[in-house]
Amino acid sequence: MGLSIFSRFLTFLGAAALATPALGAAPAVSRLQEAGSKAAACLARDYDGRAFRDPYLRYVYPEEKLEGTASDPDLTYRRIDADIMLVLLAREGKIAAALRPAVDRASRALHELPPLWAGKGFNNLRKNPEPEGIALDTFCIVGWLEADRAMAQAAAQALDGDGWLPEGLYEGEESFRRDADEAWCLRLLASPAGIGLNDARRVLDRLLADLRDARKDPAGRRSFYAAYHLSLLLEETMDLGSGIDAGALREELAEAMAAWAAARPRGREPASDLLEWANLVTAKLPRLESTGLRRRGVEILLRQQGEDGCWHLPGARPPEAGSSFLTLRALLALSAYRDP
């Protein structure tokens, strides 16, 4: 499936212009709270008791072969994406009462996946893929969320030299997806439930080389997402092995994301960048805070919230397609933001 949550959505975004104000004072807490409450209410209206009605989240890929669970008999990769974001919102500790039923169901649904997926293998590996297996990125994200050691071991065993996925799995601008998928598996291995990077340090070396190559185009998504996903790894560990200075790497990642932002003139940020701004707000890189970039991202999100409380994609067909997905991501960013 590829890059669930953070960039599976990218090809779905439109290119209409967004407006953003000049950077001023940090958003007031009351303004953030109001935006969060309106977003939760809008999402609750789109929730039918088992899933969101958003056509984007209801889509089923032709190659999907997922087995349903007790909590979600109609399990799909995009429904898992939504469940993951709901659980991440719960971890921020800011769940509105209107979303509590959806969060509770999502938590149950994700908890049912590790035993269901045990031994199934992966359908997109470069070594011994299993046609009936699970997409690597979704497996690693769920394993990380559920702190499941057996899933970390399964991911480690599937490693083939310096990677998991075949070269050329994604092409052109989408080529960053391979590194992003594998970065999630590194995060699982480096997490408390993991077994350490060990042989997977070769993957990290390759991802770092890819980051430096991507930075030749500082305005590109490839550079942004290479930096963003490596920043998630640094949330788990600063022990990256000999020869890698984690502090210096953190600065390099912030520089890459700042260069991407600098290529977006204020007042002309395209709609296709909204997901990146939401991801930037959630990135735990101190330099993004000190330079005001996270605040700029929050302002863009706040100004583009619809009157109904959700975020919408200009030109989407049907008009509501992608709205709940984008609203979940924006709400997660606002919930993660802390006024310095």
Side-chain angles (χ1 to χ4, degrees):
M1 298 305 124
L3 201 59
S4 52
I5 308 176
F6 299 107
S7 293
R8 201 196 306 272
F9 195 57
L10 288 175
T11 57
F12 197 71
L13 291 173
L18 294 175
T20 182
L23 186 64
V29 172
S30 59
R31 189 175 170 210
L32 292 169
Q33 291 174 338
E34 180 183 3
S37 296
K38 290 173 61 178
C42 187
L43 286 167
R45 291 193 297 272
D46 194 46
Y47 186 70
D48 68 7
R50 286 195 175 230
F52 294 99
R53 298 181 184 88
D54 181 345
Y56 172 83
L57 290 172
R58 287 183 173 272
Y59 180 80
V60 179
Y61 291 92
E63 68 272 24
E64 281 196 33
K65 298 179 181 179
L66 288 175
E67 181 182 350
T69 67
S71 297
D72 194 347
D74 301 315
L75 188 72
T76 70
Y77 280 107
R78 289 190 179 180
R79 287 166 76 127
I80 294 173
D81 290 349
D83 287 346
I84 289 169
M85 287 189 284
L86 286 166
V87 170
L88 289 172
L89 278 170
R91 291 191 176 185
E92 291 296 333
K94 294 184 176 182
I95 291 297
L99 276 184
R100 178 53 63 185
V103 170
D104 290 344
R105 191 213 54 79
S107 297
R108 292 193 303 271
L110 292 179
H111 189 63
E112 291 166 350
L113 294 180
L116 182 67
W117 288 354
K120 285 189 177 293
F122 307 96
N123 61 20
N124 53 352
L125 297 181
R126 70 189 191 192
K127 180 182 74 173
N128 302 324
E130 292 287 345
E132 305 293 325
I134 309 302
L136 180 74
D137 62 319
T138 302
F139 184 94
C140 287
I141 297 171
V142 171
W144 170 74
L145 274 173
E146 290 296 305
D148 192 286
R149 191 169 184 82
M151 295 180 80
Q153 292 171 333
Q157 291 167 3
L159 181 62
D160 179 26
D162 69 348
W164 283 273
L165 302 175
E167 292 185 28
L169 182 61
Y170 305 106
E171 298 179 350
E173 189 186 49
E174 304 295 305
S175 63
F176 70 86
R177 292 174 181 265
R178 177 193 179 208
D179 285 1
D181 290 359
E182 294 186 336
W184 271 110
C185 291
L186 292 181
R187 188 177 190 184
L188 169 60
L189 296 181
S191 70
I195 59 175
L197 293 180
N198 301 318
D199 292 342
R201 293 185 195 279
R202 291 182 60 189
V203 184
L204 175 59
D205 290 340
R206 197 197 84 231
L207 265 58
L208 289 172
D210 288 349
L211 166 69
R212 283 142 197 171
D213 182 66
R215 292 197 65 190
K216 296 174 184 176
D217 176 16
R221 278 200 179 108
R222 183 172 169 234
S223 177
F224 178 92
Y225 276 112
Y228 173 72
H229 285 88
L230 285 169
S231 78
L232 299 181
L233 174 60
L234 288 176
E235 291 182 29
E236 300 299 328
T237 182
M238 297 290 280
D239 179 14
L240 301 176
S242 60
I244 302 178
D245 183 330
L249 176 58
R250 180 175 279 170
E251 287 299 304
E252 183 178 1
L253 301 181
E255 287 174 5
M257 297 180 79
W260 173 88
R264 274 78 190 161
R266 299 186 200 281
R268 296 195 301 275
E269 291 90 348
S272 58
D273 289 344
L274 193 55
L275 188 61
E276 282 76 39
W277 283 111
N279 288 333
L280 185 149
V281 171
T282 64
K284 294 181 172 61
L285 296 171
R287 184 172 171 184
L288 300 181
E289 190 75 76
S290 63
T291 58
L293 276 174
R294 292 185 74 224
R295 185 164 18 124
R296 180 183 172 191
V298 168
E299 286 290 352
I300 291 169
L301 293 174
L302 290 174
R303 287 300 184 97
Q304 296 309 313
Q305 187 176 23
E307 292 184 3
D308 63 355
C310 277
W311 281 260
H312 300 275
L313 299 173
R317 295 290 181 270
E320 67 274 15
S323 177
S324 285
F325 180 97
L326 188 57
T327 299
L328 283 166
R329 196 71 194 101
L331 182 57
L332 182 59
L334 296 182
S335 296
Y337 180 70
R338 300 289 184 270
D339 181 3

